[in-house]
Amino acid sequence: MSHQRRMQKPALSLFNSLTRRHEAFEPVHPGEARVYSCGPTVYNYPHIGNMRAYVFADILGRTLSYKGYRLTHVINITDVGHLTDDADAGEDKLEKAAAAKAQSIWEIARHYTEAYWQDVRSLNIRQPAHWSVATDYIEEMIAFADEIAERHCYEIDSGLYFDVSTVADYGRLARAATGEGEGRIEQVEGKRHAADFAIWRKTPPGEMRQMEWDSPWGRGAPGWHLECSVMSGKLLGFPFDIHTGGIDHREIHHPNEIAQNQAFCGCGSLAEPVNSGARIWMHNNFLVERTGKMSKSSGEFLRLQLLIDRGYHPLAYRMMCLQAHYRSELEFSWSGLGAALTRLKRLVIAAERLHDLESTEEIPSKLLPLIEKFDAAISDDLNTPVALTVLEEILAMKKVAPEGKRAAVELVDSVLGLDLMSIIRRNLRLRPVSTIMSEEEIEAVLTRRDAARAAKDFAKSDALREQLAAKGVEVMDGDQLRWDWVLAE
């Protein structure tokens, strides 16, 4: 839009976990933004805490696009190599899930990949340029490992291991974040140093894995950390701009990725962040849930479908994520989710009035200060809580040409991703699976109630209203929607 070209936008400032500083974004390749996000291990459904990472990465990608960069975003799918202890001990998560369900590991991976992609669509997360699937890059992983093996690795009975003493500043990312040493490490017999990690894990004698390949170090499978180094380097080139992930990756997985990148590129000290393989490392904080329902080992853990089954639209969860800064802990509660849904409904109701209008090329001058306020917020390390309040201010602004207001809302929502120009309030009314009434039955009761009110039989009208309330239905007199579900907290 022409107004965007004329506005002087502030520089995008992002918090770099490696340097512990806010830094102006300066692309490695002029005009481009290359981003890699650690994706899911597809052995189970993602829980909503996992999905916070992808909402955050989506906001980052949308912001880079809004700022005018040509974005290449890669999200990986880990279908091999991730052990149950996240390090070098335990079973492969996919192998364990396949054995438990007596299914092919490939079937397990496909099922949970499709489930993850459905959550991505439900949360209005944009598709990346590449979904990189680990098992599609086995040859490249073997070649990468072979390239660094002589100078940086050693072989023991269980596989090929990376010697962390061979690179400068190993663990700097974890120490920068916590002020302490490396993250959790596991003892494996034969390792030279406790923090050394597997590049290639040999299949133990007498065992056969569903996923295993021949390599110079014996038949086996790649280590979890190797996958991301290979796929990010292959698809984005070293160095690239930004690597994202959850804060749980900051202690082991990402320091090990960085060490591999240093080895492959022949890079020196991490005093120069670009030597890590990515110029900026970004991490979203945890979603905190106090009842223990975030653990996948708990059985009915909190996944997006559970929220939908209880009648909460998935964009209410996106709204909940946007209400907190990505580097802050976000506490989940059903009441908090309900409040986010209510806030979303207000935005949708206000935006619906603009749906049938043509957007103008120019944003009205009266709204430009708010656009500048939005731009300042999103440029300040993705400050979505402030950006949301600006969106509300725009929608509430009086005496503004509605076509111009639509243009402003479209601009802001291109970053926030709440789909305000497509969704209508009725779309937010999801039927909880526990309800016993159908929409047709509800409408039939409301028709009888309308007749009672017309006949001034208010006792009957009230009784019908109470009948609906007892079955989880709120009657909304004077509202075009007429009724809505009462959602349990």
Side-chain angles (χ1 to χ4, degrees), residues 231-489:
M231 291 185 286
S232 62
K234 175 78 174 178
L235 295 170
L236 299 175
F238 292 130
F240 55 92
D241 294 297
I242 303 171
H243 195 309
T244 79
I247 198 172
D248 51 318
H249 291 332
R250 202 176 56 186
E251 313 309 314
I252 297 179
H253 181 45
H254 287 171
N256 290 354
E257 267 192 73
I258 289 171
Q260 292 167 160
N261 298 346
Q262 288 175 278
F264 187 78
C265 299
C267 297
S269 166
L270 297 180
E272 295 292 332
V274 74
N275 289 339
S276 69
R279 203 178 70 76
I280 296 177
W281 292 76
M282 298 180 70
H283 298 88
N284 65 281
N285 213 324
F286 290 116
L287 182 76
V288 179
E289 200 278 328
R290 305 295 181 188
T291 67
K293 291 278 189 171
M294 288 297 293
S295 171
K296 293 180 183 179
S297 62
S298 69
E300 188 192 37
F301 57 89
L302 283 174
R303 50 179 293 228
L304 193 63
Q305 187 59 50
L306 179 61
L307 274 54
I308 295 169
D309 288 346
R310 292 184 69 164
Y312 293 90
H313 194 280
L315 287 180
Y317 178 65
R318 184 180 180 101
M319 170 67 86
M320 193 177 196
C321 291
L322 296 179
Q323 290 178 158
H325 191 272
Y326 77 89
R327 287 196 296 113
S328 300
E329 281 192 349
L330 172 60
E331 182 162 356
F332 176 84
S333 66
W334 292 105
S335 60
L337 184 63
L341 178 59
T342 298
R343 189 177 187 185
L344 177 62
K345 286 178 180 177
R346 293 192 184 114
L347 289 176
V348 168
I349 291 168
E352 269 191 88
R353 305 185 186 111
L354 309 174
H355 281 192
D356 295 333
L357 304 173
E358 289 291 331
S359 183
T360 63
E361 185 73 9
E362 300 290 335
I363 288 179
S365 58
K366 190 173 182 180
L367 291 178
L368 287 180
L370 289 176
I371 296 299
E372 291 170 359
K373 183 179 176 182
F374 162 76
D375 195 68
I378 210 68
S379 299
D380 182 16
D381 197 31
L382 315 181
N383 193 335
T384 55
V386 172
L388 270 174
T389 65
V390 175
L391 176 59
E392 290 167 327
E393 289 181 70
I394 291 171
L395 284 166
M397 183 70 75
K398 306 294 185 184
K399 299 181 180 178
V400 176
E403 295 84 0
K405 181 181 284 191
R406 175 178 172 128
V409 172
E410 284 180 324
L411 181 67
V412 172
D413 198 37
S414 71
V415 176
L416 298 181
L418 292 170
D419 202 22
L420 293 179
M421 287 300 106
S422 299
I423 199 167
I424 61 175
R425 187 182 172 198
R426 186 176 295 277
N427 298 147
L428 300 177
R429 189 172 71 187
L430 300 186
R431 183 174 185 266
V433 295
S434 61
T435 57
I436 58 176
M437 290 191 81
S438 68
E439 294 197 11
E440 292 76 14
E441 290 170 326
I442 295 168
E443 292 292 349
V445 173
L446 287 175
T447 298
R448 290 163 51 205
R449 183 171 180 268
D450 289 342
R453 295 177 76 196
K456 299 189 183 306
D457 187 349
F458 298 116
K460 183 176 182 180
S461 170
D462 290 345
L464 290 170
R465 183 189 190 109
E466 290 172 9
Q467 176 187 330
L468 289 170
K471 295 184 178 180
V473 178
E474 177 190 7
V475 176
M476 300 183 300
D477 291 327
D479 190 294
Q480 287 186 340
L481 199 61
R482 286 169 53 86
W483 65 272
D484 204 348
W485 302 108
V486 177
L487 302 182
E489 295 183 357

Side-chain angles (χ1 to χ4, degrees), residues 179-214:
E180 300 174 357
E182 294 86 20
R184 188 183 70 257
I185 53 180
E186 305 291 345
Q187 293 299 325
V188 174
E189 187 172 350
K191 288 205 300 187
R192 294 176 183 171
H193 314 99
D196 292 352
F197 58 91
I199 294 286
W200 187 266
R201 295 177 296 106
K202 297 179 187 178
T203 302
E207 291 187 17
M208 180 177 292
R209 295 178 175 138
Q210 289 192 49
M211 287 186 174
E212 57 180 8
W213 297 266
D214 290 323

Side-chain angles (χ1 to χ4, degrees), residues 9-58:
K9 295 182 181 179
L12 176 60
S13 175
L14 301 171
F15 185 82
N16 189 346
S17 298
L18 186 59
T19 62
R20 298 294 289 168
R21 294 196 304 265
H22 287 84
E23 300 177 4
F25 176 71
E26 297 176 358
V28 174
H29 304 86
E32 291 188 49
R34 302 185 183 185
V35 180
Y36 184 89
S37 296
C38 276
T41 300
V42 286
Y43 73 103
N44 205 333
Y45 298 106
H47 60 56
I48 57 173
N50 300 140
M51 295 310 297
R52 186 187 187 194
Y54 308 112
V55 173
F56 149 60
D58 184 51

